[in-house]
Amino acid sequence: VDRKSGSWGGSVESTIEGFADAAINLYSDSDLWTEAVNAGQSVLSTDFRESSWTSVVEALHEATKNRTKRRSTDFTSGMLWHHTARSTEYFSKWIECKETRNERTK
C-alpha cells in the first residue's frame, strides 16, 4: 500500500488486486476508516472551501461575458478549429474517393 498518512482519505494502488485489498482494509478497519474520513474532511475544508471558489466563479462569469472577444484573440484555438474542420473535410473526401474506386472495380 502506497499511502501518505494524513494527506488524503485514500490509498494509491497500481494493481486491481492492490486496489481491492486497500478497499477491503479501509472498510474492515474502523480506525483506518476514521483516519481516512478525517483526512478527507481536512482536504475538503482547506482545498475546497467556498471562499476558494469565489474567484473561480468570477473568472468563469467574466470569460463567459467576453467570450467573443476572447475567442477572436485566441490564435491557437482558432488554428486548431480550422485544422480540425479541414481534416474532417479531407477525410470525408478520401472516404468518398475510396468508395467510388471500390464501386468501379466491382
Side-chain angles (χ1 to χ4, degrees):
V1 174
D2 180 19
R3 187 165 87 75
K4 296 177 182 171
S5 180
S7 61
W8 71 297
S11 178
V12 177
E13 302 298 331
S14 58
T15 64
I16 294 171
E17 294 82 10
F19 176 80
D21 289 341
I24 291 167
N25 289 338
L26 185 63
Y27 187 74
S28 308
D29 185 342
S30 63
D31 292 335
L32 187 60
W33 179 266
T34 303
E35 181 184 328
V37 167
N38 291 337
Q41 288 174 341
S42 175
V43 169
L44 288 174
S45 67
T46 55
D47 295 343
F48 296 97
R49 62 185 178 273
E50 190 174 334
S51 61
S52 310
W53 290 97
T54 305
S55 60
V56 173
V57 171
E58 288 173 0
L60 287 172
H61 284 299
E62 189 64 29
T64 303
K65 283 194 305 189
N66 299 321
R67 70 177 163 250
T68 304
K69 181 180 177 186
R70 290 172 57 92
R71 288 177 181 168
S72 69
T73 60
D74 186 0
F75 173 77
T76 304
S77 180
M79 180 184 64
L80 290 172
W81 274 110
H82 168 77
H83 287 288
T84 299
R86 297 299 287 181
S87 297
T88 303
E89 176 187 352
Y90 286 116
F91 185 61
S92 65
K93 286 182 179 187
W94 177 80
I95 290 171
E96 184 180 338
C97 288
K98 182 180 167 189
E99 288 176 355
T100 303
R101 187 183 73 182
N102 286 341
E103 288 175 6
R104 281 190 269 169
T105 59
K106 288 182 182 181

